[in-house]
Amino acid sequence: MANQTAKPGATSTKNVVLAIAILSSFLTPFTSSSVNIALPSIAAKLSLSAISLNWVATSYLLAAAAFLVPMGRLADIRGRKSIFQIGIVIDAVSSILCALAPSGGWLIAFRILQGIGGSMIFGTSVAILTSVVSPQERGKAMGFTVAAVYTGLSAGPLIGGFITQHWSWQGIFYLNALLGIIISIIVFTQLKGEWAGAKGEHFDIAGSILYALAMIVLIYAFSVLPALWGLGLIV
């Protein structure tokens, strides 16, 4: 019978990757759901109209959706850990910038940047996990990450509402930045190795741009319904 004992180094890497995947799977949905609960306070502080306020939430989702597939492909070519590290840094920095935003326009711009960072995180964390965890343990590991996603969605309104009421809406972004910094420290100090399933292959720049534009047009079209030209954009 083959020896089933895992190597200490492999077990350590697996546990680190699982912890990172759980934290990052919590981070991205928590960011989205917690900010939504603070939108009335943001509108009052920055004097935003209803349309501008809608874009504070939509811009993050739009950027994340538009860049998710291209960033996932780039990670396969350049290295999943590298793209994940960059995404975490972008998310943390953009969260601080969102908290310091002097106007609604700047807040929306920083939310777009935050969405790009989120796409780099969400498009690589699970991919790294599946690269490290054996097929026999993959179901359990994926269960942990899915549970983290729904925990983030559920905890976001509760924690975001508490912070907004007892401190300010900026505190939500500072908390998000703190979580990003913690994940960054774990990645830089504990996660060894790199994973690139398509190293050396071609990155389809034209296709990625077309995909991103299509997602932007589609999501924007849904946001302006029931206007007739919004239906035309969807078509």
Side-chain angles (χ1 to χ4, degrees):
M1 181 181 294
N3 184 7
Q4 299 296 320
T5 303
K7 296 180 180 179
T11 301
S12 176
T13 299
K14 180 182 68 176
N15 292 336
V16 169
V17 170
L18 180 58
I20 291 171
I22 290 173
L23 288 172
S24 58
S25 296
F26 173 87
L27 178 65
T28 45
F30 172 80
T31 300
S32 179
S33 62
S34 61
V35 170
N36 287 342
I37 205 70
L39 289 178
S41 297
I42 294 174
K45 177 68 175 181
L46 299 179
S47 302
L48 298 180
S49 65
I51 296 177
S52 298
L53 190 63
N54 177 63
W55 277 106
V56 172
T58 304
S59 58
Y60 175 85
L61 298 174
L62 180 59
F67 284 89
L68 181 60
V69 172
M71 288 303 174
R73 176 59 177 168
L74 187 62
D76 286 338
I77 297 173
R78 298 295 185 182
R80 294 163 186 163
K81 188 181 79 169
S82 299
I83 298 300
F84 180 83
Q85 287 175 319
I86 296 172
I88 285 291
V89 172
I90 290 176
D91 184 83
V93 172
S94 60
S95 295
I96 295 174
L97 293 175
C98 285
L100 300 175
S103 66
W106 280 110
L107 178 58
I108 293 171
F110 295 144
R111 286 285 283 168
I112 293 173
L113 182 61
Q114 191 179 35
I116 295 173
S119 72
M120 300 170 79
I121 296 169
F122 204 73
T124 54
S125 59
V126 175
I128 295 174
L129 182 63
T130 55
S131 299
V132 174
V133 177
S134 65
Q136 294 80 6
E137 299 178 299
R138 200 164 290 163
K140 182 174 71 174
M142 293 299 295
F144 281 124
T145 59
V146 171
V149 170
Y150 285 104
T151 301
L153 286 172
S154 302
L158 177 63
I159 298 175
F162 180 84
I163 292 175
T164 302
Q165 181 177 355
H166 295 280
W167 186 16
S168 68
W169 60 268
Q170 289 97 331
I172 295 175
F173 291 107
Y174 286 129
L175 176 59
N176 189 78
L178 177 61
L179 291 173
I181 291 171
I182 292 172
I183 297 173
S184 296
I185 292 173
I186 296 174
V187 172
F188 280 108
T189 61
Q190 301 296 323
L191 186 59
K192 309 300 180 184
E194 181 59 281
W195 299 268
K199 191 174 183 62
E201 294 186 10
H202 173 68
F203 179 73
D204 185 5
I205 297 177
S208 296
I209 294 174
L210 181 62
Y211 169 82
L213 289 175
M215 291 300 297
I216 291 171
V217 169
L218 184 64
I219 295 177
Y220 177 74
F222 276 112
S223 72
V224 298
L225 287 177
L228 186 61
W229 64 279
L231 181 62
L233 287 176
I234 293 175
V235 173

